[in-house]
């Protein structure tokens, strides 16, 4: 009864198309059921794997999750991220070493606004699918950021300048215990030029 009463006051709408009464309608779920994509970002040194192009229904869902507190979408986006992670692992050399999902750091203002690092939450949702099958994976939130401005609307060079030197290891004692052959996958919600992911990779390589 309480759930129905809340729905009357704040009716749920499809995060993909805006139709009422569901978190995601059947058509939007169908549109999200696509194969992961792979590309080389402008500032990348390794390939980036993603759930799909940042457009259409997927873009709407990510924006609603990220900017409009639609945490009901976390499981769906986490599953899509898990599929992208599986693709990345399938293309990597076979290894028995553990896999760490390292979320890019969130600015303090963004984390306060969104109730935490939303990328870390997505990484946790994705990791659950592997951990459930006894796969050696865990989320390692070991990065922090300072002095970085908002990237929205910035060009490629501006994004690169904006993030350079802004990331640091927040838990160096944790990174120091990582085995030398550990496999690390850096997780971000949206990759455009790859500048943020490249900065995270630079700091992690320097520290390990």
């Amino acid at each position: 009864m309480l759930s129905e009463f809340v729905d009357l006051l704040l009716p749920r709408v499809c995060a993909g198309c805006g139709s009422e009464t569901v978190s995601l309608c059947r058509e939007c779920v169908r549109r999200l059921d696509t194969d992961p994509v792979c590309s080389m970002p402008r500032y990348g040194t390794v390939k980036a794997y993603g759930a799909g192009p940042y457009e259409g229904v997927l873009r709407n869902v990510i924006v609603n999750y990220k900017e409009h507190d639609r945490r009901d979408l976390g499981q769906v986006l986490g599953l899509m991220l898990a599929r992208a992670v599986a693709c990345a692992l399938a293309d990597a050399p076979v290894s028995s070493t553990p896999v760490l999902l390292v979320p890019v750091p969130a600015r303090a203002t963004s984390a306060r606004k969104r109730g935490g690092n939303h990328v870390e939450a997505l990484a946790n949702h994705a990791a659950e699918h592997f951990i459930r099958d006894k796969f050696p994976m865990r989320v390692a939130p070991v990065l922090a950021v300072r002095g970085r401005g908002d990237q929205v609307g910035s060009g490629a060079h501006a994004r690169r300048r904006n993030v350079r030197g802004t990331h640091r290891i927040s838990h160096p004692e944790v990174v120091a215990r990582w085995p030398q052959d550990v496999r690390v996958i850096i997780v971000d919600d949206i990759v455009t030029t790859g500048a943020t992911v490249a900065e995270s990779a630079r700091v992690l390589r320097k520290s390990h």
Side-chain angles (χ1 to χ4, degrees):
M1 288 180 63
L2 179 60
S3 175
E4 292 176 0
F5 180 66
V6 170
D7 283 346
L8 285 174
L9 295 177
L10 297 170
R12 289 177 298 175
V13 297
C14 173
C17 67
S19 62
E20 292 189 3
T21 73
V22 291
S23 293
L24 282 169
C25 70
R26 181 176 299 179
E27 178 60 21
C28 286
V29 169
R30 187 187 67 79
R31 289 177 181 272
L32 291 175
D33 188 18
T34 57
D35 293 330
V37 296
C38 173
S39 64
M40 178 64 76
R42 179 168 184 169
Y43 295 116
T45 55
V46 295
K47 292 179 181 179
Y49 295 79
Y54 184 59
E55 60 188 25
V57 171
L58 181 55
R59 181 186 185 280
N60 293 342
V61 170
I62 291 174
V63 169
N64 274 294
Y65 170 79
K66 181 177 179 179
E67 303 296 347
H68 302 297
D69 200 30
R70 288 290 302 271
R71 293 300 179 259
D72 54 314
L73 305 170
Q75 293 286 353
V76 172
L77 289 173
L79 175 58
M80 296 180 73
L81 175 59
R83 292 169 67 177
V85 169
C87 241
L89 291 173
D91 286 347
V94 176
S95 173
S96 60
T97 56
V99 175
L100 302 180
L101 300 185
V102 178
V104 297
R107 292 184 300 153
T109 52
S110 298
R112 284 194 296 269
K113 175 184 175 183
R114 296 167 183 152
N117 185 344
H118 68 285
V119 175
E120 181 180 341
L122 285 181
N124 278 309
H125 284 307
E128 287 174 2
H129 295 280
F130 295 88
I131 295 170
R132 193 179 300 127
D133 290 334
K134 310 300 182 184
F135 188 85
M137 177 182 290
R138 62 185 174 87
V139 179
V142 297
L143 294 173
V145 63
R146 57 186 174 190
R148 189 184 79 195
D150 197 332
Q151 299 275 62
V152 176
S154 299
H157 293 297
R159 286 172 178 267
R160 182 67 164 173
R161 291 193 303 270
N162 194 30
V163 300
R164 186 69 180 179
T166 61
H167 293 189
R168 63 180 178 84
I169 302 296
S170 57
H171 300 286
E173 72 286 355
V174 173
V175 176
R177 293 196 297 268
W178 289 356
Q180 287 299 316
D181 56 351
V182 67
R183 292 180 291 173
V184 174
I185 295 179
I186 299 171
V187 179
D188 202 352
D189 57 348
I190 305 164
V191 176
T192 49
T193 65
T196 300
V197 172
E199 174 65 7
S200 292
R202 183 188 69 81
V203 171
L204 287 168
R205 288 193 184 101
K206 184 179 178 181
S207 303
H208 187 57

